[in-house]
Amino acid sequence: MKITTPRLTHHVLTVEGRTTGEPVLFVHGNVSSSAFWRDTMAALPERYRPLAADLRGFGESDPAPVDATRGVRDWSDDLAELAESQGLTGLHLVGWSLGGGVVLQFLRDHPALVRSLTLVNPVSPYGYGGTEGPDGRLTHPDGTGAGAAAANPDFVARLKAGDMSDESPTSPRNVFRTSYVKTPDGIADEDFYVRSMLTTRVGEHNYPGDPVTSAAWPGVAPGKHGVLNALAPTHFRLDDLHEIDPKPPILWIRGADDVIVSDASLFDLAHLGALGVVPGSPGTPAQPMVTQTRAVLERYGNYREAVLDDCGHSPHLEHPAEFRRLLTDHFGEA
């Protein structure tokens, strides 16, 4: 269904006939849409009211520009206004990857609206790229190593062209097979998810954003617009999460074999430099993304971590039964 608020016209995925119950708001990741939550939502017990919104620039929501200088607040403010328009309080928030950062920002700004929070392979609270150590210190003051210029240009071009093929390692289909999931043979409806990826609006104001170069290695820095710049550590940092009140319980679910969000991510230019894939590395260490998330949550206190073995970036697709069990147990405890 479509819901228009002063900020945005949202496309919201719902389950037919489920108009009452405890609201569960699902938030998708980068280069995807609410469609990735379809099966999880349908399998939730009747006591819950599942909803999944397409973020701006994804799916069928407005392709509104993303002001990266606000970090992920364009998205979290959109969702807060959506929740207010529908009278949703006592929310169970579930955020995957980019969506994990969005729901953390929502929690930071609106803790009283949140009953529980679930993070699914979330982006680090210190953004994506350009930081070192568990405290997320910047490698360079300008965030060098992060931002839209770090995106693979062939992947961006194929995304924009709506490429459904598997002819190149950088096609959306092959990125799904090699990065979104660990074992693609176990995914029954691959075309469905690839089509969801292709709903991503491509451009300097959406994905990946405006590219900026840097004189320092690896030669990229954050711009002011779009998705990857919004995740740059100069724009997005949540190291004060422990200061909020109240502190609803957080469940952190992650795949043990994730190659997108990890302490040795294959999408982190610093780690690729250490491997020799990106030449000229001065020895910049990889961003310890998982370690950073754990450090922030340890300060927060009220959290639990669940690690799924033989699982990549998408536990809800790869181990759906175990994922739903963890989710509903968490909701029930909250």
Side-chain angles (χ1 to χ4, degrees):
M1 65 177 176
K2 290 292 183 76
I3 298 173
T4 299
T5 67
R7 290 180 59 83
L8 198 72
T9 294
H10 307 256
H11 173 254
V12 181
L13 184 66
T14 60
V15 177
E16 186 175 358
R18 304 279 286 277
T19 58
T20 62
E22 297 178 24
V24 183
L25 182 58
F26 292 88
V27 186
H28 64 82
N30 194 9
V31 190
S32 67
S33 75
S34 61
F36 273 71
W37 295 117
R38 177 193 63 178
D39 295 344
T40 301
M41 293 170 62
L44 278 186
E46 291 290 329
R47 65 179 287 189
Y48 300 108
R49 178 189 176 189
L51 309 96
D54 289 336
L55 298 174
R56 64 168 61 200
F58 298 94
E60 298 177 42
S61 288
D62 281 351
V66 175
D67 180 356
T69 66
R70 305 186 70 234
V72 300
R73 275 197 169 98
D74 270 357
W75 293 304
S76 63
D77 287 352
D78 290 343
L79 294 178
E81 191 173 79
L82 175 66
E84 181 182 9
S85 75
Q86 301 303 297
L88 302 177
T89 59
L91 281 166
H92 298 289
L93 286 176
V94 183
W96 168 50
S97 195
L98 162 66
V102 174
V103 298
L104 280 174
Q105 187 69 63
F106 188 110
L107 174 64
R108 174 66 185 82
D109 296 339
H110 310 282
L113 296 180
V114 182
R115 180 176 297 185
S116 77
L117 194 79
T118 303
L119 302 172
V120 186
N121 292 62
V123 63
S124 164
Y126 297 107
Y128 203 92
T131 67
E132 304 174 17
D135 59 347
R137 65 186 178 276
L138 292 169
T139 302
H140 297 276
D142 65 353
T144 291
N152 184 294
D154 191 61
F155 172 72
V156 174
R158 290 176 179 275
L159 191 66
K160 186 174 183 178
D163 181 9
M164 290 283 292
S165 77
D166 61 359
E167 66 182 19
S168 167
T170 55
S171 71
R173 184 180 298 276
N174 278 328
V175 169
F176 177 85
R177 290 174 177 175
T178 60
S179 304
Y180 282 42
V181 298
K182 181 182 179 182
T183 309
D185 291 346
I187 306 300
D189 198 357
E190 183 179 89
D191 282 356
F192 175 79
Y193 297 111
V194 175
R195 285 193 295 269
S196 168
M197 295 170 69
L198 295 176
T199 65
T200 302
R201 179 58 63 99
V202 175
E204 291 196 354
H205 289 276
N206 294 110
Y207 181 85
D210 58 315
V212 174
T213 59
S214 171
W217 187 90
V220 302
K224 296 182 178 180
H225 310 284
V227 177
L228 296 188
N229 294 319
L231 291 175
T234 47
H235 302 317
F236 172 63
R237 295 179 72 84
L238 283 172
D239 50 2
D240 61 350
L241 200 67
H242 58 285
E243 297 178 1
I244 68 169
D245 183 42
K247 290 185 175 67
I250 295 177
L251 171 64
W252 175 22
I253 305 173
R254 64 181 182 88
D257 305 309
D258 189 1
V259 299
I260 296 177
V261 176
S262 80
D263 284 355
S265 170
L266 295 181
F267 289 73
D268 175 19
L269 294 182
H271 182 57
L272 293 177
L275 295 176
V277 176
V278 179
S281 170
T284 304
Q287 179 186 2
M289 302 175 186
V290 171
T291 297
Q292 290 174 349
T293 296
R294 188 175 295 115
V296 168
L297 293 181
E298 286 286 348
R299 289 198 298 274
Y300 181 84
N302 191 14
Y303 91 100
R304 181 166 67 94
E305 179 180 354
V307 183
L308 303 187
D309 293 330
D310 195 31
C311 182
H313 189 60
S314 310
H316 50 306
L317 304 186
E318 300 172 76
H319 296 283
E322 178 66 5
F323 180 80
R324 291 193 298 267
R325 183 191 66 78
L326 290 166
L327 202 63
T328 54
D329 286 353
H330 179 55
F331 293 166
E333 291 167 5

